[in-house]
Amino acid sequence: MKEAISASVKNGSSLVIDGFTHLICFAAGHEIIRQGIKDLTAIRLTPDLVYDQLIEAGCVKKLVFSWAGNPGVGSLHALRRRGEANSPQRLELDEYSHFGLLSRFLAASAGLPFWPLNNYFGGDIAQANPAIKTVQCPYTGQTLATVPALHPDVAIIHCQRADVEGNAQVWGLLGSQKEVAFAARKVIVVAEQIVPTEVIRRDPNRTVVPGIIVSHVVHEPWGCHPSFVQGFYDRDNDFYVKWEDISRQPETYQAYLQEFVYGVKDRQEYLKKLESGLLDKLRAKPRMSEGVDYGY
C-alpha cells in the first residue's frame, strides 16, 4: 500500500476511493494521511468517514460529491467545520446529484466530453453549480441537462479478489467501480485475496476491472474496516455509532487519528489495536453462491 500510494497519489492529485457502503478502502485513506499528501481534490458519490478523516488531516482542498454523511447516524463533522462560510480552512465544494456525478464518470469512461441527463429541472443544484449546463436534443428538440466528463488522476478500487495482473472481481453490493476505473488515469486495485489468474478466468463475469488498466495491485486483508466486504467481514456498525462522539470535537478527532492512523505504520498494526475479539465477531459466515457452467 505504501508503495502504491507513494507512486500514484501526489500533492494536488484528484482522487476517488470508491465503494458504496461496501468495499470502502479505509486502509488507502489512512496511508494517504500518513504520507502527508495535501491539496487533494477528493471525489466520491457518497463521502463518508474515510473522506472526513482525510479532510480532518488536512489532505483535501476540494470535495466533489453528491451526498455526505455518517450513514444512519448523522453528520461528517470535519466536513461541517470546513464547509462553513467563516471557516479559515474552508473547502471548495462541487455538488451534484448521485446520477449527475455518476454521469461525469460515464462520460469519461466512454471517451465523451459530457453526458446528457433528463434531470436537474426540479431543484436548485444546477443554479448553484455552473458546471451543469444544458443542450438541445438534435432529435426531439428537448432541453437536457449536461455534466462534463471527469477524469480522476487516481482511482482506488477495493475488491474481494484479484490476480497479480490486477484483474479485479467484485460481488455483492456494487458501487461505481467500473465507471471510475475506466475514467481514471491510474488505478490502484486493493484485494482481500490474491488468486491465480485461472481462478479469475473460471468466473469471468465477476471481473469488474480488467488488469490492462491497473497500475498497482495491493494485497490488504481487512483493508475496508469499519466498512464491509461481502463474504469476508461485516460492517462494524458500532464504530459508525461511536464515530459521532469521536468526530464531533477536534480534540477527540485528532486523538483518534494520532492513535489509529499516525500511530501505526500499516494496516496490520491498525488491526492489532482493535478491541480483542472484534475481528472474529465481524468475520463473515459462509453463504456460498452456486456456480454456473461456462461450457460450450
Side-chain angles (χ1 to χ4, degrees), residues 17 24-34 37-38 40 42 47-60 70 76-79 81-82 224-227 239-240 243 246-247 253-254 256-257 260-262 267 270:
I17 301 176
I24 302 170
C25 193
F26 278 76
H30 288 182
E31 184 56 36
I32 289 168
I33 293 171
R34 278 193 291 271
I37 300 169
K38 304 295 184 183
L40 295 173
D48 59 1
L49 275 57
V50 66
Y51 272 38
D52 202 56
Q53 291 171 11
L54 288 167
I55 290 168
E56 180 68 22
C59 299
V60 179
N70 181 350
L76 296 178
H77 293 290
L79 173 57
R81 286 191 285 271
R82 288 161 179 79
C224 290
H225 177 270
S227 175
F239 181 91
Y240 285 83
W243 186 251
I246 293 170
S247 63
Y253 208 136
Q254 287 296 325
Y256 174 85
L257 293 179
F260 288 95
V261 182
Y262 296 114
R267 195 62 172 177
Y270 166 88

Side-chain angles (χ1 to χ4, degrees), residues 70-209:
N70 181 350
V73 181
S75 295
L76 296 178
H77 293 290
L79 173 57
R80 283 190 69 117
R81 286 191 285 271
R82 288 161 179 79
E84 299 291 343
N86 60 354
S87 172
Q89 301 170 301
R90 194 178 185 195
L91 288 173
E92 298 176 45
L93 299 177
D94 190 9
E95 186 177 2
Y96 298 84
S97 64
H98 278 344
F99 189 57
L101 184 49
L102 176 63
S103 294
R104 295 195 66 187
F105 296 132
L106 285 167
S109 64
L112 297 172
F114 68 91
W115 196 269
L117 305 89
N118 187 13
N119 204 329
Y120 285 122
F121 302 113
D124 296 331
I125 292 179
Q127 298 174 31
N129 189 336
I132 301 170
K133 301 184 183 300
T134 60
V135 67
Q136 188 175 33
C137 174
Y139 302 103
T140 67
Q142 181 183 6
T143 299
L144 299 171
T146 66
V147 291
L150 179 55
H151 291 276
D153 293 321
V154 185
I156 299 174
I157 308 297
H158 200 100
C159 64
Q160 279 96 337
R161 66 187 181 201
D163 64 10
V164 294
E165 297 175 359
N167 295 298
Q169 294 194 330
V170 173
W171 56 92
L173 186 62
L174 295 177
S176 52
Q177 290 97 337
K178 180 173 66 174
E179 294 81 6
V180 165
F182 277 93
R185 295 181 174 92
K186 285 189 175 182
V187 178
I188 299 172
V189 161
V190 185
E192 293 289 322
Q193 287 184 334
I194 303 297
V195 298
T197 299
E198 52 265 31
V199 174
I200 301 293
R201 290 179 175 174
R202 283 202 297 267
D203 198 0
N205 285 14
R206 296 195 200 276
T207 304
V208 173
V209 178

